[in-house]
Amino acid sequence: MEATKNTLQFQQAVPNDTAHLHSLAHQSEAHWGYGEAFMDTFDRTFNITEQFIRENPVYVSWDHESPTAFWGLKRDGGVWELEYFYISEQHLGKGYGKQMWNHLTDWCRRRSIPEFHFVTSPQAIGFYEKMGAKQDGVSWSSIDGRPIPHFIYNVI
């Protein structure tokens, strides 16, 4: 693994960031080799919106005019859910994901959020387990019906 060259600096996203964040999410998900039909449905189903950014915590790190990484949480009743956790393809495997995870979990800790839930691509299981998240079940993809891992992370 190549050593991290820079420390990511996160700032709260604003609605004008939507197109950049959508592009990063698409690129990051496409990294796993999904086909065009899958990605078209992904874009329609999981497209980050200006409304989501206005109503939920979303944090982004920039490299000049391009986002390097972003995460977004939402609260559904009393449960916090990690909706977005994406890093640019050129920054994979360099420790940036861990930096983003630490930013996310520190943000939660400062707000006394005890845990959050999320689903992920099967290819990312190892990363989340390494970060301390525990798989607690399986959900079914709304895109293609395949089983996808469901995780919980205990912050506190």
Side-chain angles (χ1 to χ4, degrees), residues 20-29 67-70 86-88:
H20 289 293
L21 300 184
H22 170 70
S23 178
L24 174 57
H26 177 94
Q27 173 212 91
S28 184
E29 194 70 20
T68 302
F70 81 97
Y86 291 106
I87 189 162
S88 66

Side-chain angles (χ1 to χ4, degrees), residues 85-147:
F85 192 88
Y86 291 106
I87 189 162
S88 66
E89 196 170 22
Q90 63 267 30
H91 291 91
L92 292 173
K94 298 179 181 175
Y96 291 106
K98 183 176 181 181
Q99 286 186 47
M100 184 166 54
W101 185 263
N102 289 341
H103 184 269
L104 162 65
T105 57
D106 288 347
W107 186 93
C108 291
R109 210 170 279 109
R110 288 191 309 271
R111 286 152 184 85
S112 299
I113 295 170
E115 65 184 26
F116 56 85
H117 299 256
F118 60 97
V119 295
T120 187
S121 296
Q123 301 90 330
I125 290 172
F127 170 80
Y128 291 113
E129 288 177 339
K130 188 176 176 182
M131 295 299 104
K134 303 290 183 208
Q135 187 173 348
D136 67 341
V138 174
S139 296
W140 303 101
S141 171
S142 60
I143 296 175
D144 61 3
R146 67 186 161 87

Side-chain angles (χ1 to χ4, degrees), residues 5-71:
K5 294 184 172 134
N6 297 312
T7 300
L8 298 179
Q9 301 297 316
F10 285 90
Q11 63 189 45
Q12 191 159 12
V14 297
N16 284 346
D17 296 336
T18 303
H20 289 293
L21 300 184
H22 170 70
S23 178
L24 174 57
H26 177 94
Q27 173 212 91
S28 184
E29 194 70 20
H31 170 78
W32 301 117
Y34 295 120
E36 187 176 333
F38 180 97
M39 291 308 301
D40 287 344
T41 304
F42 173 85
D43 286 341
R44 286 191 311 278
T45 307
F46 296 106
N47 191 0
I48 191 165
T49 64
E50 290 182 9
Q51 181 177 352
F52 187 91
I53 292 171
R54 273 191 222 90
E55 295 176 358
N56 300 284
V58 178
Y59 284 82
V60 60
S61 179
W62 294 91
D63 181 11
H64 304 291
E65 299 294 318
S66 299
T68 302
F70 81 97
W71 62 263

